Amino acid sequence: MKYKVSPSMLASDYANLEKELKKCEQGNADLIHLDVMDGHFVPNISIGAPVIAAMKKVCDIPFDVHLMISEPLKYIDDFVKAGADIITFHTECDSDINETIDRIISLGCKASLAVKPNTPISEVYPYLDRLSMVLVMTVEPGFGGQSFMEFTMPKVKELREKCPLLDIQVDGGVTLKTVKIAKQAGANVFVAGSAVFKSENPKETIMQLKG
Ligand code: DX5
Ligand code: ZN
């Protein structure tokens, strides 16, 4: 299975986004991870569609927009217009999951579903045939720089056994050390914020995470 790395821009220097995106290109990042938080689904506010649209103009890597918002369905059109290639939203949100997936796909975008650390992985099962990726959160969503929760790994294992070819993503506390645990469990897409952007050499770190 091909390993993919998706640097989370949440940990990058927002005053120099173009420069930070170039580092991702130099490291051959497979995806760019964009964390959208509404201060309601999670206790924090980050960026929205206009900032993503601006970034899209200066980067050719596919964008995975991680919506940590209560009502993703209301904003799907905006994020597709802004340049999302994949939209990841949570099973724990307030929108209808089927309708939200349908809307994403009907606009020509790929759909991905996320579960928080304590949500059973079986929550994504009814939708698997329409998902291009599943995200198993390895921290409580809302903030960068938290520690990897290893107790979530049995969910990755269970999903990998069920879906040998699915892109299974982990997000939160991924470092050069914890990425090994995630790989062993069967994950193949690694979101990394602090590990990439707080490192001396982001390009090198992206390549090492891919291993
Ligand atoms: C957390 C976000 C993550 C975050 C990861 O809610 O979903 O994408 O940026 O940050 P690190 O890699 O620093 O744990
Ligand atoms: Zn994220």
Side-chain angles (χ1 to χ4, degrees):
M1 185 120 229
K2 189 181 176 263
Y3 290 138
K4 301 179 191 175
V5 172
S6 185
S8 167
M9 302 311 290
L10 189 67
S12 73
D13 176 3
Y14 276 14
N16 290 287
L17 285 171
E18 185 170 5
K19 254 198 223 160
E20 299 286 67
L21 288 166
K22 290 290 166 242
K23 292 179 191 169
C24 299
E25 282 176 3
Q26 287 162 4
N28 257 321
D30 301 273
L31 294 169
I32 298 294
H33 187 87
L34 298 146
D35 289 298
V36 175
M37 307 177 183
D38 64 356
H40 186 257
F41 183 78
V42 291
N44 199 7
I45 297 176
S46 60
I47 57 163
V51 178
I52 292 174
M55 291 164 81
K56 188 72 183 177
K57 287 189 196 153
V58 295
C59 182
D60 291 329
I61 303 170
F63 277 17
D64 175 21
V65 176
H66 179 194
L67 296 180
M68 287 164 275
I69 65 178
S70 295
E71 296 193 73
L73 182 54
K74 274 193 185 170
Y75 300 95
I76 297 304
D77 292 43
D78 288 351
F79 286 105
V80 173
K81 263 185 222 138
D85 297 277
I86 305 172
I87 292 184
T88 300
F89 69 101
H90 278 259
T91 58
E92 304 90 353
C93 74
D94 296 334
S95 297
D96 183 86
I97 296 179
N98 267 314
E99 248 183 274
T100 308
I101 294 175
D102 286 346
R103 189 75 201 147
I104 295 170
I105 293 175
S106 74
L107 294 171
C109 194
K110 290 179 179 161
S112 156
L113 255 183
V115 286
K116 291 188 193 180
N118 289 304
T119 301
I121 194 63
S122 55
E123 294 290 317
V124 306
Y125 288 176
Y127 314 101
L128 281 173
D129 56 336
R130 287 181 295 148
L131 298 176
S132 72
M133 187 162 70
V134 169
L135 166 55
V136 176
M137 288 300 299
T138 41
V139 297
E140 281 301 333
F143 300 91
Q146 305 181 75
S147 302
F148 186 84
M149 293 171 161
E150 198 171 338
F151 76 83
T152 59
M153 290 301 99
K155 294 197 289 187
V156 173
K157 257 191 202 148
E158 183 184 322
L159 185 60
R160 178 54 73 214
E161 275 161 25
K162 197 174 162 67
C163 308
L165 299 175
L166 180 71
D167 275 341
I168 302 179
Q169 186 177 54
V170 286
D171 178 11
V174 173
T175 62
L176 291 177
K177 195 172 158 197
T178 58
V179 75
K180 292 185 189 148
I181 301 168
K183 281 177 183 170
Q184 210 163 14
N188 70 305
V189 187
F190 310 105
V191 176
S194 315
V196 168
F197 290 105
K198 309 291 180 223
S199 81
E200 294 273 296
N201 188 338
K203 171 187 161 185
E204 194 62 32
T205 305
I206 293 168
M207 295 194 296
Q208 285 172 345
L209 283 167
K210 261 201 246 196

